[in-house]
């Protein structure tokens, strides 16, 4: 579930007292707040630790990058890659476009010390009828999905 993929790490980081930057091209803040509430997240944590940005323009992205450089969030969530790249006239299925986007848009958040969670969507092309979900996911995201599936997230403050 894509909603949990973005929500669980965000809640875990906030519960540890870390700042989270959420760059949102797909949802409205109310939808994200509802996800946090459904997991029992204290809304005070959200108010104190979450910076939600509905980005639509280059100016908005640069302001978010500047905010990250100053506040150094532990986690930056980018939802979603196809919409963000498409808004810049880039094709998320082309490695050269993805590298350009990574260099100009993602690297500044990494340089601020943030882990970056990139959210993608399965590709639903007309020629993909009968293809398994794994065959419809862009190749670059396969390793990210494997990495995420092997991560263990501790949502409590207890040490293991």
């Amino acid at each position: 579930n894509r909603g949990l993929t973005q929500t669980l790490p965000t809640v875990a980081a906030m519960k540890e007292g870390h700042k989270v930057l959420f760059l949102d091209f797909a949802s409205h803040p109310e939808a994200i707040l509802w996800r946090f509430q459904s997991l029992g997240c204290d809304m005070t944590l959200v108010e104190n630790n979450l910076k939600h940005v509905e980005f639509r323009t280059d100016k908005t992205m640069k302001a978010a990058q500047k905010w990250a450089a100053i506040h150094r969030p532990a986690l930056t969530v980018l939802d979603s890659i196809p919409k963000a790249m498409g808004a810049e006239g880039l094709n998320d299925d082309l490695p050269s476009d993805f590298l350009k986007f990574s260099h100009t848009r993602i690297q500044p958040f990494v340089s601020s010390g943030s882990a970056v969670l990139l959210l993608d969507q399965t590709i639903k092309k007309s020629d993909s009828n009968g293809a398994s979900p794994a065959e419809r996911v862009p190749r670059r995201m396969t390793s990210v999905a494997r990495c995420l599936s092997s991560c263990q997230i501790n949502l409590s403050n207890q040490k293991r």
Side-chain angles (χ1 to χ4, degrees), residues 15-84:
K15 282 188 172 186
E16 292 292 321
H18 299 292
K19 298 284 185 201
V20 176
L21 176 59
F22 199 104
L23 301 168
D24 195 356
F25 216 105
S27 302
H28 296 287
E30 298 80 25
I32 293 158
L33 292 176
W34 178 86
R35 289 184 192 132
F36 295 147
Q37 288 175 326
S38 70
L39 289 173
C41 184
D42 180 353
M43 288 297 105
T44 304
L45 281 176
V46 176
E47 291 170 15
N48 294 333
N49 296 316
L50 181 72
K51 170 77 170 173
H52 181 269
V53 176
E54 289 184 74
F55 70 93
R56 302 284 188 263
T57 66
D58 182 58
K59 186 177 178 180
T60 309
M61 180 64 87
K62 287 182 179 176
Q65 291 169 339
K66 184 176 179 178
W67 185 92
I70 294 167
H71 297 280
R72 306 187 58 77
L75 175 65
T76 298
V77 179
L78 177 61
D79 185 6
S80 78
I81 292 296
K83 290 181 181 180

Side-chain angles (χ1 to χ4, degrees), residues 10 16 19 51 69 72 83 98-99 118 127 151 158:
T10 302
E16 292 292 321
K19 298 284 185 201
K51 170 77 170 173
R72 306 187 58 77
K83 290 181 181 180
F98 184 74
L99 287 173
L118 304 174
D127 62 348
C151 290
Q158 297 173 352

Side-chain angles (χ1 to χ4, degrees), residues 140-154:
R140 73 177 186 292
M141 293 308 298
T142 305
S143 61
V144 173
R146 284 188 192 131
C147 175
L148 286 174
S149 67
S150 67
C151 290
Q152 187 176 31
I153 300 168
N154 181 8

Side-chain angles (χ1 to χ4, degrees), residues 98-115:
F98 184 74
L99 287 173
K100 178 181 177 181
F101 184 82
S102 295
H103 179 71
T104 60
R105 297 302 189 211
I106 298 168
Q107 186 58 45
F109 298 111
V110 173
S111 295
S112 76
S114 184

